[in-house]
Amino acid sequence: EPEVTQTPSHQVTQMGQEVILRCVPISNHLYFYWYRQILGQKVEFLVSFYNNEISEKSEIFDDQFSVERPDGSNFTLKIRSTKLEDSAMYFCASSPDTEAFFGQGTRLTVV
Amino acid sequence: AQSVTQLGSHVSVSEGALVLLRCNYSSSVPPYLFWYVQYPNQGLQLLLKYTSAATLVKGINGFEAEFKKSETSFHLTKPSAHMRDAAEYFCAVTNNNAGNMLTFGGGTRLMVKP
């Protein structure tokens, strides 16, 4: 069964460093998303992407964040200069319409 | 704007007992509703979804949920809990526009006692 794949599963980075989280969405899906879950808190929407551009973003998704679909398969989230409060589980999701399929997540720890 | 409230951040049941996890939503447009399950150190797995067809929705692992518009609720139930059901459960709402974001509730951690 097709699935959303995220790499790495864990990432530890120093404050101020740039990180890139990678995702391979399900191949025939059109919509792509990033969500995050700070430990013990709810899952929060970051950004959605369709037709090679951002379709919607939350207040969390500030200038430190960017997304890219560099080729036909990958979908990346870049955090330019990480802060301690960026520590969270980051989920990629893809969707053919209204139902989102989630990856296993990347646990980002900023130290 | 849409929002989801899950009453009870922790629910504990005995194995074999009824599971009831509560979800109430707020939406200015007809909602699509989802329940996701998250096992420890894993991602979000779809349990079931309501997309304006039948109001009683059956999902995987014996779970079901009923959409009640008058109560703005979408509670998740399972007649008999199993130890493997111990996990975090998230209710989420969106609308019928393809590609729209999901808004999640705070989650309910289900514990199952032997």
Side-chain angles (χ1 to χ4, degrees), chain A residues 31 33 35 37 97 99-100, chain B residues 36 38 46 49 90 98-99 102:
Chain A
Y31 305 93
Y33 315 83
Y35 289 81
Q37 184 184 28
D97 43 44
E99 179 180 337
Chain B
Y36 285 88
Q38 183 180 33
L46 182 67
K49 61 182 179 180
F90 291 94
L102 285 165

Side-chain angles (χ1 to χ4, degrees), chain B residues 1 3-4 6 14 20-21 30 36 46 50 80-81 86 89 93 99 101 108:
Chain B
S3 66
V4 175
Q6 291 182 242
S14 297
L20 170 61
L21 304 183
Y36 285 88
L46 182 67
Y50 166 76
S80 176
Y89 292 80
V93 66
M101 56 173 273
T108 298

Side-chain angles (χ1 to χ4, degrees), chain A residues 54-79:
Chain A
I54 290 173
S55 47
E56 193 171 6
K57 60 182 180 179
S58 71
E59 292 177 353
I60 304 167
F61 194 86
D62 61 21
D63 291 345
Q64 293 298 312
F65 292 89
S66 62
V67 289
E68 199 174 42
R69 188 155 161 84
D71 53 44
S73 60
N74 291 284
F75 179 51
T76 62
L77 174 70
K78 182 192 291 185
I79 309 176

Side-chain angles (χ1 to χ4, degrees), chain A residues 31 33 35 37 40-45 48 55-56 89 91 95-105 107, chain B residues 4 32 34 36 38 41-44 46 49 51 90 94-107:
Chain A
Y31 305 93
Y33 315 83
Y35 289 81
Q37 184 184 28
Q41 298 187 24
K42 67 168 64 177
V43 178
E44 303 172 290
F45 168 75
S48 58
S55 47
E56 193 171 6
M89 180 75 96
F91 292 108
S95 168
D97 43 44
T98 56
E99 179 180 337
F101 295 78
F102 285 80
Q104 296 294 303
R107 180 165 297 285
Chain B
V4 175
Y32 281 13
F34 302 81
Y36 285 88
Q38 183 180 33
N41 299 313
Q42 294 192 26
L44 298 166
L46 182 67
K49 61 182 179 180
T51 55
F90 291 94
T94 186
N95 60 35
N96 63 354
N97 292 326
N100 199 48
M101 56 173 273
L102 285 165
T103 299
F104 284 85

Side-chain angles (χ1 to χ4, degrees), chain A residues 22-35:
Chain A
R22 302 181 191 280
C23 170
V24 179
I26 295 173
S27 63
N28 62 344
H29 287 187
L30 302 175
Y31 305 93
F32 313 111
Y33 315 83
W34 284 99
Y35 289 81

